[in-house]
Amino acid sequence: MANRAKKTVIVQTAQEWNALDSDVSIVFVKSYSCNDASLTVLNVSRLTSLQELSIGDYCFENVKELRLVGLSGLKRVAIGSNSFTKSKNGFGSDPNRRFQLKDCSALTELRVGRYSFSDYASAVIEGNDALEVIAMGELSQVSNTFYSASLELKSVGWMEC
């Protein structure tokens, strides 16, 4: 099998995000980007070839729902600080804000920076059986990551000890 080059894209605007091709492998969202009022739902599941999603600081403040579902090739998600929140450097509670990370069978790493999702009410992480690392916030620092969220972590498999 030939080694195919990974398609990498850098995004700064909602227009660029919406124009992404489904065959993109790596997406980098620059800090202070994609804060357009029109961008309220981020369904990443349309990016069927995605392997890595890296989002900078202070991004997607108006997104009320982030869906990462059924991305079988996704290996890594990294989100900077103060992203996916209106409550910068603080916390809040909005019952309409939801995070969903489901059925991404190759995902090994989820990293979320300080104060991101700090006003989300729900976070579901389910069926990602290769997941090895979940890192939220920073040690010895106030983080408020998913501060108001009901957090559910579910696995389909089980481990023998």
Side-chain angles (χ1 to χ4, degrees):
M1 184 157 96
N3 187 9
R4 294 177 37 198
K6 293 181 181 178
K7 184 176 178 182
T8 303
V9 178
I10 298 172
V11 174
Q12 286 186 274
T13 66
Q15 184 178 8
E16 291 172 345
W17 176 268
N18 290 330
L20 286 174
D21 290 328
S22 63
D23 67 343
V24 66
S25 301
I26 301 170
V27 175
F28 292 105
V29 179
K30 285 187 153 191
S31 291
Y32 299 93
S33 296
C34 298
N35 290 315
D36 310 57
S38 64
L39 195 54
T40 58
V41 175
L42 200 63
N43 186 358
V44 183
S45 304
R46 69 182 179 83
L47 305 177
T48 55
S49 297
L50 191 63
Q51 294 177 14
E52 182 176 340
L53 177 61
S54 183
I55 297 171
D57 302 330
Y58 295 91
C59 296
F60 296 108
E61 71 180 7
N62 294 301
V63 170
K64 293 183 178 197
E65 189 170 348
L66 173 58
R67 281 187 237 137
L68 298 134
V69 178
L71 295 164
S72 61
L74 184 63
K75 296 175 185 166
R76 182 174 184 270
V77 175
I79 298 169
S81 64
N82 281 294
S83 289
F84 297 95
T85 187
K86 294 239 183 219
S87 303
K88 307 295 189 234
N89 295 312
F91 62 90
S93 182
D94 184 338
N96 298 313
R97 297 185 84 136
R98 294 182 294 276
F99 172 84
Q100 193 175 48
L101 177 61
K102 289 178 65 174
D103 303 324
C104 298
S105 57
L107 185 71
T108 60
E109 184 177 335
L110 170 64
R111 295 188 180 275
V112 181
R114 296 174 68 198
Y115 301 108
S116 289
F117 303 99
S118 63
D119 53 6
Y120 271 50
S122 171
V124 176
I125 301 172
E126 179 178 353
N128 308 295
D129 294 332
L131 193 56
E132 298 171 357
V133 175
I134 298 176
M136 295 184 188
E138 291 179 33
L139 277 173
S140 303
Q141 298 287 323
V142 173
S143 292
N144 293 339
T145 305
F146 290 110
Y147 182 85
S148 298
S150 163
L151 179 62
E152 292 181 50
L153 180 58
K154 297 179 182 179
S155 176
V156 210
W158 57 279
M159 297 184 347
E160 289 186 38
C161 296

